[in-house]
Amino acid sequence: MEEGKMDENEWGYHGEGNKSLVVAHAQRCVVLRFLKFPPNRKKTSEEIFQHLQNIVDFGKNVMKEFLGENYVHCGEVVQLPLEFVKQLCLKIQSERPESRCDKDLDTLSGYAMCLPNLTRLQTYRFAEHRPILCVEIKPKCGFIPFSSDVTHEMKHKVCRYCMHQHLKVATGKWKQISKYCPLDLYSGNKQRMHFALKSLLQEAQNNLKIFKNGELIYGCGDARSPVADWRELAHHLKPFFFPSNGLASGPHCTRAVIRELVHVITRVLLSSSDKGRVSALRPGLWGPRVCEASPFSRSLRRQGKNTPERSGLPKGCLLYKTLQVQMLDLLDIEGLYPLYNRIERYLEEFPEQRKTLQIDGPYDEAFYQKLLDLSTEDDGTVAFALTKVQQYRVAMTAKDCSIMIALSPCLQDTSSDQRPVVPSSRSRLAFSVSVLDLDLKPYESIPHQYKLDSKIVNYYSKTVHAKDDAVVPTRLKESEDCTLVLHKV
């Protein structure tokens, strides 16, 4: 970033989360990511630089090792002219959602992260003229806890996402429960994956967004957003998916386009663009492959089938790699929380040891190597507790990351196009797959996670499961015998 060439008019608001805000360049395929803070919280420029550098180092030394270099884009920390940052902040303020304005963009340090714009294909520095579609999926946790430390039996049957949906609707976060279940997406079974993706398209919440040429065209930010309009989405998607001799409009056209989108995303998610890399993690334990709350699983049970066909994910695909990192959560939050308390007691006695324990970094090769210890035999030491806590933080990061799938119609001369290609009904689509939101989850958030976990499970058990139990006696249970009596008429 050269000081003399920074013009706020070349940058536009791209989006923001709880802790950072992103702006995108109009011509170049880059974004700037700024940290956000409450108005009364001040951090020094050195602290902000170190925070951003830690994010870069964690991506480079940890997540890139686990997920593969083709999927992880670490970016770099850059220093910007303060006047440019102030003017940019003023320019984008009106575009920010009101619900996000409780925190301010950092305009005092001048530091930001420069990253590739992942809504674009990841090979060109400059925006291409061909249309580009990008689907952002936040798949969430893809397995059911297998730890013996779990005390709530419900957690061995129903996944965290499906349970949390009920609490979110009860507290007004969302208007209705999504049919999406992460275990269906992570199953590798195409039928289940199609069902999961259609469910996300029906009830996107904050787990699915679609961009066209870098602009958000589908997805919602809160419960007040309008109902998903598939017709409008199909209108945007037709140039990518619908055959030129097909119907131009109508319900059949909409269904065909949505179906094609789902098929293409599934193919991309099952593909591997990181050949030759073997996963560093091989946890031997695995919980149930099916979540009892998944509408897909329930429909199979109604048909008299116990479990869907097991397909499994190809080992080179990003979903498989992401799931492996998620499964670093070897003990579940219930088994982990006592270990967190062990570290806290140690730090109360020896506060100067916090730096030695690498709780706040540096996230280097040594930090990564310690994560590979998959033992669960507690020897009572602080070292064991620390390893499990750090593994949990990394697992939580993988549970909350986003997968970005960029798609673009192949040019006539495809010989010069080195990117992987997926077939569609209309043409072939070049694609790139990347991972977003790979900041290491804070050490300090563990007590919150412990309380939230208990809240989610207790609410689900008291409301949903209790309701199901009340219904069962009025119906014929599967295990009971019955006699069919025929009367003459």
Side-chain angles (χ1 to χ4, degrees):
M1 295 290 159
E2 297 173 43
E3 287 205 13
K5 294 185 178 179
M6 295 304 290
D7 179 359
E8 69 275 6
N9 295 311
E10 294 178 351
W11 300 83
Y13 179 82
H14 192 66
E16 63 187 294
N18 186 40
K19 294 179 180 175
S20 57
L21 182 148
V22 178
V23 295
H25 196 273
Q27 276 82 41
R28 297 172 61 201
C29 289
V30 292
V31 298
L32 291 173
R33 176 184 167 189
F34 295 89
L35 294 180
K36 288 165 47 178
F37 300 104
N40 58 347
R41 187 178 170 191
K42 297 288 182 280
K43 280 201 166 193
T44 66
S45 295
E46 290 74 20
E47 286 174 322
I48 288 172
F49 171 79
Q50 195 53 60
H51 184 120
L52 291 170
Q53 191 57 52
N54 276 345
I55 294 172
V56 172
D57 291 343
F58 179 69
K60 191 181 296 180
N61 298 321
V62 179
M63 298 314 286
K64 192 173 268 197
E65 286 298 314
F66 282 142
L67 301 178
E69 60 182 56
N70 286 348
Y71 298 123
V72 180
H73 305 273
C74 304
E76 61 178 335
V77 182
V78 293
Q79 190 165 21
L80 305 163
L82 290 180
E83 187 58 31
F84 161 76
V85 179
K86 286 173 188 168
Q87 292 303 319
L88 181 65
C89 184
L90 291 171
K91 177 180 181 281
I92 64 170
Q93 188 60 34
S94 62
E95 297 179 64
R96 297 180 63 195
E98 194 179 328
S99 59
R100 293 293 190 186
C101 291
D102 58 327
K103 292 181 181 177
D104 299 328
L105 179 78
D106 164 37
T107 56
L108 300 175
S109 74
Y111 288 111
M113 275 176 71
C114 183
L115 295 147
N117 186 340
L118 298 181
T119 65
R120 305 280 186 171
L121 287 167
Q122 291 313 302
T123 49
Y124 293 101
R125 286 183 57 205
F126 292 89
E128 295 184 75
H129 294 298
R130 65 171 114 174
I132 295 177
L133 192 73
C134 177
V135 181
E136 177 182 346
I137 299 170
K138 195 179 276 288
K140 304 302 282 187
C141 181
F143 72 97
I144 285 178
F146 44 75
S147 170
S148 57
D149 293 296
V150 170
T151 58
H152 300 279
E153 186 58 30
M154 187 57 56
K155 286 168 69 174
H156 285 312
K157 298 176 181 178
V158 179
C159 79
R160 163 73 172 252
Y161 181 88
C162 288
M163 281 196 275
H164 202 178
Q165 280 287 302
H166 291 269
L167 183 62
K168 284 181 174 179
V169 170
T171 54
K173 169 76 175 171
W174 303 114
K175 282 186 177 175
Q176 62 187 50
I177 288 165
S178 169
K179 292 179 182 176
Y180 171 70
C181 174
L183 268 72
D184 290 331
L185 187 69
Y186 282 97
S187 68
N189 177 302
K190 287 183 182 177
Q191 194 183 359
R192 287 177 72 185
M193 292 178 77
H194 290 171
F195 183 87
L197 290 167
K198 280 180 184 172
S199 299
L200 279 177
L201 284 163
Q202 284 169 338
E203 191 68 28
Q205 297 186 3
N206 61 351
N207 296 102
L208 180 134
K209 291 175 184 170
I210 300 177
F211 301 84
K212 187 176 180 181
N213 300 329
E215 297 290 325
L216 181 68
I217 59 166
Y218 195 78
C220 67
D222 55 53
R224 293 182 297 279
S225 293
V227 177
D229 187 348
W230 278 18
R231 283 176 303 174
E232 188 183 338
L233 176 61
H235 174 73
H236 284 292
L237 298 180
K238 267 194 285 187
F240 293 87
F241 297 117
F242 208 62
S244 54
N245 59 351
L247 293 173
S249 61
H252 176 73
C253 168
T254 298
R255 285 195 299 270
V257 169
I258 297 295
R259 187 166 58 245
E260 191 66 29
L261 172 69
V262 166
H263 285 189
V264 166
I265 296 172
T266 302
R267 282 190 176 214
V268 171
L269 287 174
L270 292 175
S271 71
S272 170
S273 60
D274 212 30
K275 294 179 174 63
R277 176 177 285 273
V278 178
S279 174
L281 306 171
R282 291 195 186 96
L285 297 166
W286 189 284
R289 299 288 182 110
V290 176
C291 166
E292 287 188 5
S294 162
F296 186 91
S297 302
R298 288 203 302 267
S299 69
L300 279 186
R301 286 200 296 276
R302 282 197 295 270
Q303 296 166 32
K305 299 174 186 174
N306 290 328
T307 54
E309 173 202 341
R310 287 193 177 185
S311 302
L313 291 164
K315 291 191 176 180
C317 78
L318 181 57
L319 280 180
Y320 177 84
K321 290 167 178 282
T322 306
L323 186 59
Q324 293 289 296
V325 184
Q326 291 180 358
M327 290 173 74
L328 276 175
D329 178 9
L330 298 163
L331 305 175
D332 187 71
I333 187 66
E334 290 188 63
L336 186 92
Y337 191 59
L339 301 182
Y340 165 83
N341 288 329
R342 184 187 301 173
I343 297 169
E344 283 295 280
R345 288 192 296 271
Y346 178 77
L347 288 175
E348 278 176 23
E349 196 173 347
F350 307 104
E352 73 283 356
Q353 288 294 304
R354 187 177 175 108
K355 191 173 182 180
T356 310
L357 296 181
Q358 285 186 272
I359 287 171
D360 309 306
Y363 305 122
D364 52 16
E365 172 68 18
F367 180 90
Y368 167 73
Q369 287 299 330
K370 287 173 187 170
L371 298 171
L372 304 181
D373 178 4
L374 303 180
S375 63
T376 53
E377 198 67 43
D378 187 359
D379 58 6
T381 62
V382 171
F384 174 83
L386 182 68
T387 298
K388 297 305 125 184
V389 163
Q390 303 293 47
Q391 286 174 334
Y392 174 80
R393 292 172 67 195
V394 175
M396 290 299 288
T397 300
K399 290 177 187 181
D400 207 34
C401 70
S402 291
I403 295 174
M404 307 289 282
I405 300 169
L407 301 157
S408 185
C410 285
L411 298 172
Q412 292 301 314
D413 178 21
T414 54
S415 58
S416 61
D417 211 331
Q418 299 302 309
R419 286 165 297 197
V421 169
V422 62
S424 76
S425 61
R426 179 161 189 156
S427 64
R428 298 191 308 153
L429 298 165
F431 70 88
S432 62
V433 186
S434 310
V435 196
L436 196 64
D437 297 335
L438 289 176
D439 299 12
L440 180 62
K441 294 298 177 185
Y443 169 81
E444 287 76 17
S445 70
I446 291 173
H448 167 73
Q449 289 297 334
Y450 180 70
K451 288 174 192 164
L452 179 62
D453 183 77
S454 178
K455 197 174 177 181
I456 290 168
V457 180
N458 288 335
Y459 182 82
Y460 186 84
S461 300
K462 285 175 187 172
T463 55
V464 183
H465 194 60
K467 198 191 303 174
D468 289 346
D469 283 348
V471 172
V472 168
T474 66
R475 297 177 183 164
L476 187 67
K477 292 182 182 175
E478 287 180 20
S479 58
E480 291 177 1
D481 292 330
C482 67
T483 306
L484 181 66
V485 182
L486 301 175
H487 294 276
K488 266 188 182 178
V489 179

